[in-house]
Amino acid sequence: VSIIQYNGTQYEIAEFRTDKSSSDHRHANVSLGASLEADLLRRDFTINALAYDISNGQIVDVLGGICVSDIQNGVLRTVGDSYTRFTEDALRVLRAIRFSVTFGFPMNSSLSAGIQKVLDYSPELFRVLSAERKVAELNKIFSKDTRGISVFKLLFSYKGVNGTLFDMLFPNVSKCEGFQANLNLFLY
């Protein structure tokens, strides 16, 4: 990905890519040189599946207007099956929360169901996410002008067989529940 500045606006430029399935759900097997359509269809969310054709000044929406409509109507949905997108890379669950809270876009029902399905049937995916990737995404969530309480409400609203989404992402913090700290130790 290259970043260029044009008329005071930053643009990310990347070659077309396609993904091949990853056995570890962490490292994408990416091939370069695919078509624009294949590249856009591999994206996580419809709001990220648009392109601008500089030759004719047109927006390219390979989903027949769904991507543009979702931006106009403030809807967050995945490209394709939500559960499949999240099992390709569980970090996309955190990205969904970031986009929902940052842009104020509610998650559509299939996206929410996909998150719930990951918690119910594939909770191990959160254990293979590296701490660095989780921290980077959380920094993006909390460095924006977000409503922090909204983030925590979402993290606690999804409950699976092994606890809440918060528990899956922060297993050591969850172990502290009920811990009684001696607050006198923190007084100066």
Side-chain angles (χ1 to χ4, degrees):
V1 175
S2 299
I3 299 174
I4 62 167
Q5 226 24 62
Y6 180 73
N7 287 340
T9 303
Q10 226 177 31
Y11 298 93
E12 290 183 6
I13 309 295
E15 288 188 57
F16 299 147
R17 298 171 284 180
T18 56
D19 293 334
K20 296 182 174 115
S21 61
S22 167
S23 60
D24 67 2
H25 304 281
R26 292 176 61 181
H27 303 96
N29 297 320
V30 177
S31 298
L32 300 178
S35 68
L36 174 61
E37 181 177 2
D39 182 82
L40 295 176
L41 290 173
R42 65 176 272 285
R43 302 301 173 103
D44 49 6
F45 305 107
T46 56
I47 62 172
N48 290 333
L50 291 168
Y52 179 73
D53 187 337
I54 59 173
S55 68
N56 63 18
Q58 298 291 311
I59 299 289
V60 179
D61 184 341
V62 297
L63 296 177
I66 291 174
C67 302
V68 170
S69 174
D70 283 352
I71 289 174
Q72 291 170 337
N73 296 314
V75 174
L76 187 62
R77 89 176 73 227
T78 56
V79 175
D81 179 69
S82 297
Y83 178 70
T84 301
R85 284 291 179 247
F86 295 141
T87 57
E88 290 168 349
D89 183 356
L91 190 71
R92 289 175 168 167
V93 171
L94 270 181
R95 286 172 50 82
I97 289 170
R98 174 167 56 100
F99 291 148
S100 179
V101 172
T102 300
F103 300 126
F105 287 12
M107 296 180 201
N108 80 334
S109 59
S110 66
L111 189 150
S112 289
I115 293 173
Q116 188 60 56
K117 193 171 178 182
V118 170
L119 285 171
D120 290 340
Y121 299 106
S122 306
E124 72 281 354
L125 295 178
F126 296 108
R127 285 192 292 276
V128 299
L129 278 178
S130 71
E132 294 80 12
R133 291 185 73 211
K134 285 192 266 189
V135 167
E137 193 61 38
L138 288 166
N139 282 337
K140 290 177 187 176
I141 289 172
F142 291 112
S143 68
K144 304 284 185 215
D145 184 23
T146 60
R147 296 168 297 275
I149 194 71
S150 299
V151 174
F152 288 105
K153 282 182 180 178
L154 282 171
L155 292 174
F156 283 105
S157 70
Y158 292 100
K159 295 179 177 75
V161 294
N162 293 327
T164 66
L165 180 54
F166 182 88
D167 299 329
M168 298 295 99
L169 294 168
F170 308 103
N172 292 329
V173 175
S174 299
K175 293 175 186 173
C176 295
E177 186 175 348
F179 177 77
Q180 297 295 316
N182 182 348
L183 297 180
N184 291 329
L185 296 175
F186 300 103
L187 297 176
Y188 291 70

